[in-house]
Amino acid sequence: VIPKTVQVAPDSVTWELNATTGGEEPEAVQLDIDTYIDRFGILHVGTTVPVGTVLTATATSTYQPAGDTPETATATLTVIEPV
């Protein structure tokens, strides 16, 4: 998943990926090693991640051509049944 506000070139951002159960009182979900965002900004979700899990991915730029302030973008996604 690549937020539309950030153009991704290989290794141009760092990613933070969090997961919760969602709902009114969300609890943290432990992600397995098969759930990650690769160097091209593609989200890979492991088969053990439960349906309904809410994933929040935050991209922070590592290169700032216009100054010292990094650009950030966040996407929130919900895991659904495979189609």
Side-chain angles (χ1 to χ4, degrees):
V1 172
I2 302 173
K4 292 182 180 181
T5 57
V6 175
Q7 181 179 2
V8 178
D11 300 321
S12 63
V13 299
T14 57
W15 293 96
E16 181 178 329
L17 184 60
N18 295 298
T20 65
T21 55
E24 291 183 24
E25 296 183 29
E27 295 180 20
V29 172
Q30 181 69 38
L31 295 173
D32 62 18
I33 195 166
D34 295 327
T35 302
Y36 63 96
I37 300 171
D38 68 21
R39 63 183 287 226
F40 296 103
I42 297 171
L43 172 63
H44 301 264
V45 179
T47 58
T48 63
V49 178
V51 170
T53 298
V54 177
L55 301 172
T56 303
T58 302
T60 303
S61 64
T62 58
Y63 173 68
Q64 297 85 36
D68 294 332
T69 304
E71 297 287 329
T72 61
T74 300
T76 301
L77 310 134
T78 302
V79 176
I80 61 170
E81 290 284 340
V83 287

